[in-house]
């Protein structure tokens, strides 16, 4: 039966749906958006290609929900920043060329700049933590893979990642882009 | 910015710890429930978590963008690291993981549920879900944690019916071969109809909307009673009293008292027609009412209630029409009525029942 993987995930989805919804309500602070994101999870689940092997189906669904929720949060934030830029522009009749460009700012360029800044910050991190972070975040390795390849325990992987994230966020301190 | 001034380093530390813990491929439903608890505890927790996720969004952002082409075109050329990230994540939003072995011993803000080995047990339970479809009324909880809203599953076997009364006074009747799950939370009441047919008589509660999910359609109640019947090919909603909204993708269809809505799977349209409210969900009284219905449509309906399936031998039988009431609590009695009211005879053959013309 070729659909077994999808069938199992769908069954797990049905079972976990209330818990997923509760998580999304808490994460997004908005029941309607939570329902929307949950709908997206279902569509993804039923209509996209799934990995051939999923060992932890409920975890898989929650991670999918979490990622889609973040997407929503980021979109909302971008829209707010654009609105802000527009209103700044309009209140200041003679906007400079640079400012006039802001509403059309290319998100990809911003992302690239942020990534470059991130790379710089990572240089001042301890080598082990940097390696664990890069393997997981850039190469998409699982905690288990990182642990195996670095010859450390999964718990230590978690500690390295925690350290890396703190390091990045400390460098962000005072940066008004977040929060 | 007030938020920031009272955002303590302790909360940020907790947010980071949760981020690492939930980033693990080994985090299961229990972990996510605890994480949800933490998010619900305080808006500051959600703010803190936002900050953690957004500060790392240079990495996760391209993956989740709805405009991958834009990101790739502009960002890829000069930065190979990002190219990899974009490509991988765009193809596969949730990365594939290998077998879990040990659970990470992250220090968790609350406790370390993660110490359990859970995957095997979890899988065993999901395999069992299929069995539930034919099991007698069954109740189980999705979690041992009282903080998580309880998910209760109810199922009937072929020929079975069950009446359920929820804590809010809502009554649900399950028809033959049906499975639903019910989740009551502070903010909503959600029923998922996995298969079969159920009749809902909803207790009013303006603060907690009542939602029925069936396949890809969401039915929102506006104080009413209605039935929902879900098959592989169609979803039928019949409203006895009040109003419901059926949401299918972006489209919402309002169904009012005395209307029946049919949504065929794979088709976005929802068709409405008028029906007699007296004839909705009469199965609750052990009978089905037909008016000028052909046997070809009646037989599949009757077969939902019995293990022993009925078929007909020739097209003449299929074309016969029937008006009247059939008792579905006893198959022999039901066949007796049919033989008395129509020119047919019923014979048992190879574990089946065959209807043929009397002449």
């Amino acid at each position: 039966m070729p659909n077994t993987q999808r069938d199992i995930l769908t069954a797990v989805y049905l079972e976990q749906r209330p818990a997923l919804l509760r998580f999304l309500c808490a994460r997004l602070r908005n029941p309607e958006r939570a329902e929307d994101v949950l709908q997206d999870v279902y569509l993804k689940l039923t209509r996209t290609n799934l990995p051939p092997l999923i060992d932890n189906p409920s975890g898989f669904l929650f991670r999918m929900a979490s990622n889609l929720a973040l997407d929503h949060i980021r979109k909302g934030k971008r829209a707010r920043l654009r609105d802000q830029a527009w209103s700044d522009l309009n209140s200041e009749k003679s906007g400079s060329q640079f400012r006039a460009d802001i509403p059309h700012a290319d998100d990809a360029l911003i992302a690239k700049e942020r990534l470059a800044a991130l790379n710089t910050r990572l240089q001042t991190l301890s080598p082990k933590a940097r390696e664990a972070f890069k393997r997981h975040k850039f190469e998409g390795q699982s905690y288990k893979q990182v642990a195996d390849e670095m010859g450390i325990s999964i718990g230590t992987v978690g500690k390295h990642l925690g350290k890396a994230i703190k390091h990045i966020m400390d460098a962000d301190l005072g940066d008004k882009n977040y929060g | 910015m007030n938020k920031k001034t009272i955002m303590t380093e302790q909360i940020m530390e907790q947010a980071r710890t949760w981020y690492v813990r939930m980033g693990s491929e080994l985090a299961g439903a229990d972990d996510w429930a605890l994480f949800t608890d933490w998010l619900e505890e305080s808006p500051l927790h959600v703010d803190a978590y936002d900050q953690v996720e957004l500060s790392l969004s240079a990495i996760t952002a391209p993956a989740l963008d709805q405009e991958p082409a834009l990101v790739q075109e502009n960002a890829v050329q000069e930065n190979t690291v990002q190219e990899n990230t974009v490509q991988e994540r765009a193809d596969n939003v949730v990365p594939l993981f290998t077998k879990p072995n040990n659970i990470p011993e992250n220090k968790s803000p609350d406790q370390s549920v993660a110490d359990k080995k859970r995957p095997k047990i979890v899988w065993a339970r999901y395999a069992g879900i299929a069995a539930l479809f034919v099991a007698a009324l069954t109740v189980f909880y999705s979690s041992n944690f009282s903080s998580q809203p309880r998910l209760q599953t109810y199922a009937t076997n072929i020929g079975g019916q069950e009446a359920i009364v929820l804590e809010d006074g809502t009554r649900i009747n399950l028809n033959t071969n049906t499975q639903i799950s019910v989740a009551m939370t502070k903010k909503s009441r959600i029923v998922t109809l996995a298969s079969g047919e159920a009749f809902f008589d909803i207790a009013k509660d303006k603060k907690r909307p009542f939602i029925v999910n069936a396949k890809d359609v969401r039915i929102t109640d506006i104080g009413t009673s209605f039935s929902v019947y879900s098959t592989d090919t169609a979803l039928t909603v019949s409203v006895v009293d009040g109003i419901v909204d059926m949401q299918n993708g972006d489209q919402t269809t309002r169904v009012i008292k005395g209307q029946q809505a049919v949504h065929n799977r794979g088709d976005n349209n929802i068709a409405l027609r008028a029906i007699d409210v007296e004839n909705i969900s009469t199965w609750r009284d052990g009978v089905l009412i037909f008016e000028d219905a052909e046997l070809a449509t009646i037989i599949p309906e009757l077969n939902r209630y019995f293990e022993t399936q009925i078929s007909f031998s020739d097209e003449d039988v299929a074309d016969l029409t029937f008006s009247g009431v059939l008792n579905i609590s006893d198959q022999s009695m039901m066949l007796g009525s049919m033989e008395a009211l129509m020119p047919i005879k019923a014979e048992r053959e190879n574990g089946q029942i065959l209807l043929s013309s009397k002449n």
Side-chain angles (χ1 to χ4, degrees):
Chain A
M1 225 169 122
N3 284 334
T4 303
Q5 172 82 344
R6 203 181 295 278
D7 291 345
I8 290 169
L9 270 176
T10 307
V12 176
Y13 171 85
L14 287 174
E15 202 211 39
Q16 294 294 334
R17 199 182 190 285
L20 285 163
L21 185 60
R22 180 177 161 246
F23 160 68
L24 288 170
C25 281
R27 182 73 192 87
L28 294 162
R29 293 180 262 206
N30 180 330
E32 278 189 11
R33 285 169 72 196
E35 283 277 0
D36 288 346
V37 172
L38 195 52
Q39 192 76 9
D40 291 346
V41 172
Y42 183 82
L43 291 178
K44 259 203 148 49
L45 189 63
T46 50
R47 305 203 182 149
T48 61
N49 291 329
L50 297 168
L53 186 78
I54 299 172
D55 271 338
N56 176 4
S58 53
F60 179 87
L61 290 176
F62 275 100
R63 290 168 56 75
M64 192 187 259
S66 180
N67 286 346
L68 290 169
L70 176 61
D71 191 25
H72 252 249
I73 291 166
R74 290 183 56 250
K75 267 195 212 153
K77 194 176 161 61
R78 272 206 307 257
R80 280 195 303 280
L81 286 174
R82 281 192 189 123
D83 291 349
Q84 184 63 41
W86 268 118
S87 61
D88 286 355
L89 190 64
N90 293 338
S91 65
E92 207 178 301
K93 300 281 180 193
S94 59
S96 69
Q97 184 64 40
F98 174 71
R99 293 196 65 128
D101 281 339
I102 291 176
H104 310 287
D106 189 337
D107 292 335
L109 281 173
I110 294 170
K112 197 175 73 175
E113 281 164 17
R114 306 240 328 103
L115 194 73
L118 186 76
N119 263 323
T120 313
R121 281 165 211 160
L122 286 176
Q123 297 313 311
T124 51
L125 187 62
S126 76
K128 289 263 181 197
R130 183 168 64 232
E131 184 182 349
F133 184 82
K134 283 192 161 180
R135 281 178 181 276
H136 178 62
K137 283 290 175 190
F138 292 105
E139 294 164 31
Q141 288 189 351
S142 69
Y143 284 27
K144 177 74 167 55
Q145 282 172 321
V146 177
D148 286 350
E149 294 196 15
M150 290 182 67
I152 55 179
S153 76
I154 291 181
T156 308
V157 173
K159 284 184 186 120
H160 283 325
L161 292 177
K163 211 182 284 175
I165 292 160
K166 183 170 191 317
H167 184 75
I168 290 162
M169 292 191 71
D170 285 349
D172 275 346
L173 226 65
D175 184 335
K176 282 170 191 162
N177 278 333
Y178 333 111
Chain B
M1 288 295 121
N2 282 340
K3 283 179 192 167
K4 272 199 171 163
T5 57
I6 46 174
M7 178 77 70
T8 65
E9 174 50 29
Q10 192 195 353
I11 292 175
M12 290 308 300
E13 175 63 29
Q14 288 177 3
R16 283 194 294 269
T17 307
W18 279 115
Y19 181 84
V20 171
R21 179 164 164 186
M22 301 334 289
S24 168
E25 70 276 13
L26 306 173
D30 299 344
D31 300 295
W32 284 94
L34 289 172
F35 175 48
T36 307
D37 289 344
W38 180 78
L39 288 173
E40 283 177 347
E41 268 170 31
S42 161
L44 288 177
H45 292 179
V46 186
D47 288 340
Y49 200 76
D50 277 351
Q51 283 190 42
V52 174
E53 281 211 310
L54 291 169
S55 73
L56 295 163
S57 65
I59 303 156
T60 50
L64 302 164
D65 249 311
Q66 293 300 302
E67 310 89 20
L70 176 78
V71 176
Q72 285 171 16
E73 267 173 31
N74 294 292
V76 156
Q77 293 155 356
E78 296 165 50
N79 193 323
T80 52
V81 175
Q82 179 163 11
E83 178 176 12
N84 290 337
T85 309
V86 170
Q87 298 288 8
E88 268 174 32
R89 298 302 174 102
D91 289 342
N92 183 9
V93 168
V94 181
L96 168 62
F97 295 112
T98 52
K99 281 194 175 162
N101 248 350
N102 300 309
I103 309 294
E105 47 185 43
N106 310 336
K107 54 183 159 160
S108 98
D110 293 313
Q111 68 229 72
S112 169
V113 227
D115 290 343
K116 287 186 297 182
K117 280 194 177 183
R118 84 175 60 71
K120 290 297 171 222
I121 301 161
V122 170
W123 276 106
R125 198 171 68 210
Y126 296 137
I129 285 180
L132 275 177
F133 282 76
V134 287
L137 182 74
T138 310
V139 178
F140 68 84
Y141 299 110
S142 72
S143 164
N144 299 323
F145 295 94
S146 56
S147 56
Q148 190 176 9
R150 284 186 320 211
L151 178 71
Q152 299 201 346
T153 299
Y154 302 89
T156 54
N157 54 14
I158 292 175
Q161 284 192 10
E162 286 295 339
I164 302 158
V165 181
L166 302 182
E167 64 186 33
D168 65 343
T170 291
R171 291 163 182 281
I172 305 176
N173 296 84
L174 300 188
N175 200 1
T176 174
N177 199 17
T178 297
Q179 192 207 9
I180 65 166
S181 63
V182 179
M184 307 292 275
T185 69
K186 272 174 271 174
K187 289 172 186 163
S188 61
R189 303 170 288 173
I190 301 168
V191 171
T192 302
L193 177 66
S195 67
E197 183 173 18
F199 180 86
F200 300 88
D201 189 0
I202 313 279
K204 276 197 178 141
D205 185 346
K206 282 185 179 170
K207 288 178 188 155
R208 289 198 297 173
F210 200 101
I211 294 165
V212 179
N213 291 299
K215 298 273 161 53
D216 49 349
V217 175
R218 181 169 69 187
I219 300 150
T220 312
D221 161 66
I222 311 182
T224 189
S225 51
F226 59 98
S227 82
V228 182
Y229 176 33
S230 175
T231 67
D232 288 341
T233 54
L235 179 74
T236 307
V237 177
S238 312
V239 179
V240 172
D241 199 12
I243 299 168
V244 299
D245 280 340
M246 282 174 77
Q247 196 183 333
N248 166 37
D250 298 338
Q251 183 190 345
T252 301
T253 306
R254 178 152 287 195
V255 191
I256 63 170
K257 177 180 179 175
Q259 282 187 332
Q260 185 173 69
V262 180
H263 165 64
N264 291 310
R265 297 259 285 149
D267 174 4
N268 280 334
N269 293 326
I270 291 178
L272 289 177
R273 67 186 188 98
I275 49 160
D276 187 344
V277 293
E278 296 296 319
N279 293 353
I280 296 174
S281 299
T282 55
W283 47 263
R284 287 176 295 157
D285 302 319
V287 296
L288 294 180
I289 300 172
F290 298 99
E291 283 173 37
D292 261 340
E294 292 180 348
L295 271 190
T297 58
I298 292 176
I299 300 301
E301 187 60 23
L302 299 179
N303 278 338
R304 291 173 57 200
Y305 299 86
F306 305 102
E307 296 278 5
T308 308
Q309 298 284 289
I310 303 170
S311 56
F312 35 79
S313 58
D314 54 71
E315 291 308 308
D316 290 347
V317 174
D319 290 343
L320 289 172
T321 59
F322 174 80
S323 294
V325 179
L326 291 177
N327 186 325
I328 51 167
S329 54
D330 182 315
Q331 195 173 26
S332 296
M333 248 169 69
M334 183 185 80
L335 290 165
S337 308
M338 291 170 72
E339 284 178 318
L341 295 164
M342 284 180 280
I344 55 168
K345 60 176 189 288
E347 288 164 318
R348 288 182 189 271
E349 225 174 67
N350 302 329
Q352 277 201 336
I353 293 164
L354 195 66
L355 298 183
S356 53
S357 303
K358 235 173 202 171
N359 305 316

